Structure formats: structure tokens, C-alpha cells
Amino acid sequence: MAQTLNNRQIADVFDTIADMLQLKGEIIHRILAYRRVAETIRELPRDLRALAAEDKLNEIDGVGKVLAEKISELLETGELRFYHELAQEIPPGLVEVLRVNGVGPKKAMLFYKELGIASIPALEAAAQAGKLRNLSGMGSKSEAKILESITALARRTNRVRLDTAWAAAEKLLRPLLQLPGVIQGDIAGSVRRGKSTIGDIDLLIASYQPLPIMEAFVHHPDVTRILGQGETKSSVELENGLQCDLRVVPPERYGTALSYFTGSKDHNTRLRERARDRGLSLNEWAFTPLEGGAEVLCASEPEVYAQLGLPWIPPELREDRGEIDLAAQGILPRLIEIKDIRADLHMHTTWSDGKLSVRDMAWIARERGLSYIVISDHSQSLGVANGLSVERLRAQREEIRAVDAEFAPSLRVFQGVEMEIRADGSLDYGDDVLEWLDVVIASLHSGLRQPREQVTARLLNAIRNPHVDIIGHPRGQMIPDREPADLDMDAVFGAAREHDTALEINASPYRLDLDDAHARRAAEMGIKIAVNTDSHNGDGFTALRYGIMTARRAGLRPEEVINTWSVESFLAWLRQ
DNA sequence: GCCGTTTTCGGCCCGACTGTTTTCAGTCG
């Protein structure tokens, strides 16, 4: 039987094809068609396998007849003839060469044709031997830059976690905001949109005096390499390889610039289309009437959207997932905010692998304004995390009851557990134990690489248990390294809806699982969502912001998230 | 290669920066 490819693998094939077409010198729009679909597939909340089975590949945005056939071929055979044909002309090593900063398709082909270079090591050797500088369009500076970029490749991280990027961005931006002549500044790009992984950082500042700001930016202590420095734009590389771009624009153009640099690309494309429909062209600087006439400047984002007849759209929604239509109809959801959250239903203490006592966690939760929490330590079979035997679970119950009595009524403290779904599919406690726990979260920590049928069956078994209330971090992904388990999410969602089992958005920036797209789909099916921090110490609670951003990206309203409910509503839901 | 309440053909993504140019091509986001 042919090997089955998953969504990500198929997306990778299309991205490689896009690279090859680019090397061939194809027209950009054909290339973009492949890239767009690759990106869409990567974020798709449904399996291509399932969509293909339902003959619905054409319903994917950007997939027409040709790409649908290519997806089918990949699904059925694990191969793609078109890819192999291209590989005859374009050695796969050339695609690698494109990863070197400063080397695009034209240079790569030049090196290949003139010097037979088809790999990064070959490129490095040629540069070191001074063979590149004599080629047309090249010089010693370009050659040196290529060598530098090859060195930088080694420390280049692909994508980093949201919290890592956020911290780096704030550290860069904060001192700039103190400079004279700086009127305002923001983190833009995918950090502002709250994506779970970040490829680069975009900063924006409003000022009439860009030069000293650029100067300060490129000389920030975290900067290891200056990639470019101009009057309106500068780019640097940080120690961890992350790239950061800064743009400085005059304040009266700040709105269009912030909107433009927040993205996403697809959202911006839609905005430009809408502008064109209104006789305007839109770019980062202004609206310009197509028929000629004075520019329309926007100092703030709401002005940009108002110019397009739209209410301001929260950055987390700007992914071209229908948000512009909703905005146009005036039915954008009132997205959940941190202040809506009344409860955290998943946290650990010293009883298992947490760092603080039950009482400490309660104290911090109350400080943070929560009105109820669930202590959910690990269950017995998770030995590495000091999981609780039934006896210890009973002993912990006494302590939790005492802390609850101490903190009530301002904070209620319930006993839960994060129960292992064992590798063999059984649950870690019997019903006789589960029935007296206030809340049961069931999670997968082991056997995540089991075949689809097996790992899915384990999760379904947990969902169907009447005592299981929430599934913790359902897909088991770890950012940025560990792929989610190969779960049949259609089956998972179906069972969760049927049994009224909530699915978690684990707010830890290492997890953010469910991700935005799956959380959106689950909520659309009427499945309840929990946003929990999974705190193992006091700092863990700060992860809530990332969970909330993910929930907002999923378009969730407060009422769809059980952590916003009153304690009475929550208890009533548990009882039924 | 996709897409259509202007269209089934002709648009789609354009501006900043760099280095090598001698007026601009290539790269990047």
C-alpha cells in the first residue's frame, strides 16, 4: 500500500514545487497559486484524506481542478509525476540553495549554469574560492554576504514560539519608544495577530525623524547582524537567528502602515480588493484615488477600515477566513477577552510535578482575579510526573477542601485530575474513583505516534466515559518541534459533541492545542471549549494571554468558553 | 494556477533596500 501523506507533507511538496517553478522562471502568479494552497493546507482544520473521500477538495480556497488532481494523486500514490518531471530539470539541491539569504532564483540558476552549483556546501566552497565575484551582476560584496548568510543559516531557527517572539519584540521596541520624536509604536505582524509560531518580528513606529531611531534599532544589544538599514525600513537578525524588521512612518500615515504590516497577506489582499471596488488603491502609505486626486491618509487603523465601510477588525481575525464579510454585515463576533475569564480548570501543584502548593496556587489565582480553579495533578501512571495513586488522590482531596474553605467565597477550589489515557487505551482510574472527583481532564501523553486508528480510538474511549469532562491538549503537539498525533479529528469532534465533552485550548505557548483552526471548527459544531493555563508554577498563569489570543483567532465568543461561566453554571454543567 | 454581483480571459503584488549598475536587476517580505 502506498504511504499516506498528511496535510503538512502535501503542503511541503507544493512549496517545493513553487521553489522549482521559481527557479524555472515561471510567472509569479502560477508560483503564488502553489504557495497559497500550501499555506492553506498547512492550516486546514480537516484532513485532506477526509475531504478527498467526500470529493470536496475543490472547496478548499485556491484549489482548482489541477491542484485537486495533484492532491488526489499524492493521497493515492504518495507520489506526484509533475514533481518528478520538474526534478529532472531542477536538481532538488537548488531548492536548498534558495534558503541562503540574498540568493534568489536568478542567482541560484546563474551559479548552477556557470559553476554547476547545486547545494549549499558547493555554494560555500565556490564563495570561499572567490569564484562567485566574477559572475555578471556579482561582486565581492555579494560574495561576502552569501558566505555570511550561509554561516547564519546554521543558527537560524525556523519558527519560534509566540512567547519567545513577543518577549524579543517588546525588548527591542521598549527602548525605541523612549527616543525623542517617537510618537507611538507597536508590535505588528504575526505576533500582533497571535499566531502560535512566529517566523519574524515586525515593529512599527510613528515619527518624523526616522534616522536616529533606525540607528538605535540596529545597535540594540540583542542584534547580531544588520541585514539592511534605510530611512523607512531596517532589518536585523537577533542572537537566536530571528529576523526583525522596523518601519518608521510619519504619524499621519500610521494607520495604513499598521494595518499593512499587521497582515495577514491574504487579509491585506482582500482589503485592497475592497478599496479598488471603491475606486481607491491601498498600500502602506495611503489610499490613492484610481482616477487621480489627493491621497487619503489614515493616522489610525479604525480610519482605514472606516474608509472601506468596515468596523475595525481585531488583528487575531485577520487571516482571510471570512472576517471581512462578517465585518461588512456588521456581525463580527464579540471576541473573548482576558477579562471575561473567571476560572482556570487545569493546573498542577507539588502533589505531582508542579512547583507550588495548592494554597499557593489558590492565592495567586485569587490575586489574578479568578473566582474558581480546578487543581488537576497528574494521575498514577505518569510516573515521571509523580502521578497520584488513589490513596494520594484521597489525601489531596482533604487539603483541597481545606483550602477551598479558607478561600471561599471569593475563590472556590475544586479537585480535578489530569488523567492519563494509557497507551493501551485504558483510563488511569476506574469509574469508582472518577465519580467522586469534581472535574476529570483526560489527556494523551504517551503513544502519540501510534497509528491513526489506534490513537483515535484511545481518545474516543476517554470522550465517551461519562466522568470525563474535558480533553486536555487534544492533539498532543509541542511547539515548535512535535507534530500533533495523527488523530481523526472528525471522529473526535463528533464524539465530543455527542457526549458534551469540552475540548481544551491549552494556553501554554508550548502547546496552544487545540490550535485556532480546530478550535474554530469545534465551536462551530457546538462543542464547548475550555481555555486553561496548565500552570506548573506562578508564572504559568501568564500563559492565559496566549490561550486567549488563540481563542480569539478561533473567533470564539465568551459564552463558548466554559471558563467564562459563573461557578453555578459550571457546576450545573458538570452535574448533567 | 485560480477566479468571476464588472469578467470564462485577463488580471493577480508591490515597494524598500542593496549592490552593481551607468539607469537597474535581484531579493525580500
Side-chain angles (χ1 to χ4, degrees):
Chain A
M1 191 185 119
Q3 185 205 351
T4 332
L5 300 181
N6 63 32
N7 289 17
R8 174 178 293 239
Q9 291 165 320
I10 290 177
D12 288 346
V13 172
F14 284 168
D15 259 332
T16 306
I17 289 176
D19 287 337
M20 291 169 146
L21 292 174
Q22 207 152 15
L23 287 161
K24 274 188 69 179
E26 265 287 348
I27 59 155
I28 184 70
H29 300 110
R30 188 176 177 207
I31 295 157
L32 287 176
Y34 279 91
R35 289 221 191 279
R36 264 196 290 268
V37 166
E39 204 178 318
T40 304
I41 290 175
R42 217 169 262 124
E43 313 229 322
L44 205 64
R46 293 210 61 193
D47 267 314
L48 287 172
R49 286 167 280 196
L51 285 170
E54 295 169 27
D55 203 18
K56 284 185 177 166
L57 290 175
N58 279 302
E59 292 180 13
I60 301 168
D61 223 27
V63 174
K65 188 162 169 288
V66 172
L67 287 178
E69 279 169 6
K70 289 191 164 69
I71 293 171
S72 297
E73 187 181 337
L74 280 163
L75 286 172
E76 283 161 21
T77 69
E79 304 279 332
L80 187 61
R81 281 163 299 167
F82 180 60
Y83 171 84
H84 291 296
E85 283 162 26
L86 278 175
Q88 299 294 314
E89 299 176 59
I90 310 289
L94 272 188
V95 172
E96 279 298 295
V97 171
L98 290 179
R99 289 176 51 226
V100 178
N101 218 300
V103 179
K106 295 288 194 309
K107 294 262 176 69
M109 279 314 264
L110 177 73
F111 301 155
Y112 178 54
K113 287 190 169 145
E114 298 292 325
L115 302 169
I117 291 168
S119 72
I120 291 175
L123 180 64
E124 187 171 24
Q128 276 165 348
K131 288 179 184 165
L132 301 182
R133 66 182 68 162
N134 301 320
L135 299 175
S136 81
M138 290 290 296
S140 51
K141 268 193 171 177
S142 304
E143 190 177 70
K145 210 169 179 183
I146 285 173
L147 269 181
E148 206 182 309
S149 296
I150 291 174
T151 314
L153 260 188
R155 64 169 177 271
R156 187 152 96 192
T157 36
N158 282 332
R159 296 183 73 83
V160 301
R161 294 192 318 269
L162 176 57
D163 59 323
T164 308
W166 198 324
E170 285 195 320
K171 203 169 161 212
L172 285 163
L173 182 61
R174 207 174 300 125
L176 299 181
L177 294 178
Q178 305 305 315
L179 295 174
V182 170
I183 291 151
Q184 68 182 116
D186 284 282
I187 301 170
S190 49
V191 176
R192 183 165 182 239
R193 301 202 312 280
K195 280 200 73 161
S196 60
T197 65
I198 304 296
D200 61 12
I201 294 172
D202 291 289
L203 302 178
L204 186 66
I205 282 178
S207 175
Y208 292 112
Q209 295 122 40
L211 294 178
I213 300 168
M214 293 303 187
E215 201 57 22
F217 173 63
V218 300
H219 291 111
H220 188 282
D222 287 355
V223 169
T224 51
R225 193 155 77 110
I226 302 171
L227 302 170
Q229 184 180 359
E231 210 171 311
T232 67
K233 176 187 169 182
S234 295
S235 295
V236 300
E237 195 178 272
L238 309 181
E239 287 156 295
N240 60 3
L242 202 59
Q243 188 177 327
C244 180
D245 296 346
L246 169 67
R247 266 98 173 178
V248 180
V249 301
E252 66 272 16
R253 298 180 189 270
Y254 194 73
T256 41
L258 182 57
S259 153
Y260 188 91
F261 293 117
T262 296
S264 66
K265 249 180 297 167
D266 291 339
H267 178 85
N268 287 350
T269 302
R270 295 276 179 223
L271 291 186
R272 282 198 299 273
E273 281 170 10
R274 203 173 161 88
R276 203 177 313 116
D277 291 345
R278 291 163 182 253
L280 298 166
S281 89
L282 168 63
N283 64 18
E284 61 266 52
W285 299 107
F287 288 96
T288 311
L290 295 169
E291 308 286 305
E295 287 180 329
V296 180
L297 305 187
C298 297
S300 74
E301 270 191 344
E303 294 170 52
V304 176
Y305 285 92
Q307 191 67 38
L308 297 169
L310 298 170
W312 180 80
I313 298 175
E316 295 93 335
L317 288 181
R318 301 183 194 172
E319 299 288 349
D320 186 29
R321 293 176 180 163
E323 70 279 3
I324 292 177
D325 284 343
L326 295 182
Q329 295 170 52
I331 51 171
L332 275 178
R334 197 295 246 170
L335 297 182
I336 187 169
E337 299 171 38
I338 286 183
K339 69 176 170 56
D340 295 317
I341 294 290
R342 300 200 211 185
D344 195 339
L345 312 174
H346 184 168
M347 67 187 68
H348 299 268
T349 70
T350 46
W351 281 90
S352 64
D353 61 349
K355 296 284 179 275
L356 297 176
S357 67
V358 172
R359 193 174 180 284
D360 288 341
M361 293 302 267
W363 195 85
I364 294 168
R366 188 166 67 183
E367 285 295 295
R368 296 183 67 90
L370 296 178
S371 44
Y372 58 105
I373 59 173
V374 173
I375 302 294
S376 57
D377 277 303
H378 290 288
S379 63
Q380 50 196 0
S381 75
L382 202 62
V384 290
N386 192 24
L388 272 65
S389 65
V390 176
E391 292 73 54
R392 290 180 66 219
L393 202 57
R394 287 187 195 280
Q396 188 199 36
R397 188 167 186 79
E398 300 302 313
E399 183 174 320
I400 289 175
R401 287 288 180 260
V403 173
D404 180 45
E406 181 188 343
F407 282 74
S410 62
L411 180 84
R412 296 297 314 276
V413 183
F414 299 107
Q415 186 185 27
V417 74
E418 184 180 16
M419 177 178 63
E420 281 307 292
I421 301 170
R422 295 180 189 148
D424 66 4
S426 64
L427 301 178
D428 213 11
Y429 299 119
D431 286 348
D432 57 324
V433 174
L434 297 183
E435 66 185 7
W436 53 260
L437 288 162
D438 299 322
V439 177
V440 176
I441 302 171
S443 302
L444 294 166
H445 290 105
S446 59
L448 288 161
R449 301 272 76 91
Q450 288 172 351
R452 184 180 176 82
E453 294 70 28
Q454 198 178 348
V455 68
T456 302
R458 287 164 63 202
L459 202 55
L460 293 182
N461 180 44
I463 292 171
R464 288 174 184 143
N465 183 296
H467 300 295
V468 171
D469 305 298
I470 301 170
I471 299 297
H473 45 76
R475 305 181 74 218
Q477 66 188 4
M478 288 294 255
I479 296 171
D481 300 321
R482 194 168 82 198
E483 293 282 299
D486 186 14
L487 288 160
D488 179 349
M489 292 306 287
D490 285 351
V492 170
F493 288 156
R497 176 166 59 184
E498 184 185 345
H499 296 275
D500 196 20
T501 307
L503 300 180
E504 180 181 74
I505 292 176
N506 190 292
S508 162
Y510 291 84
R511 292 198 177 272
L512 294 176
D513 171 18
L514 295 174
D515 64 26
D516 47 14
H518 283 92
R520 169 173 298 216
R521 183 141 179 273
E524 280 169 0
M525 290 177 68
I527 295 164
K528 295 179 179 65
I529 303 291
V531 180
N532 297 324
T533 64
D534 197 357
S535 292
H536 285 69
N537 54 45
D539 278 349
F541 288 100
T542 60
L544 182 60
R545 69 201 306 204
Y546 308 114
I548 291 296
M549 287 189 100
T550 302
R552 290 168 63 83
R553 290 175 59 80
L556 299 188
R557 299 175 164 81
E559 60 271 21
E560 292 172 311
V561 174
I562 60 182
N563 309 63
T564 67
W565 295 356
S566 68
V567 67
E568 295 79 15
S569 302
F570 177 64
L571 292 174
W573 174 67
L574 289 176
R575 274 195 298 271
Q576 53 161 263

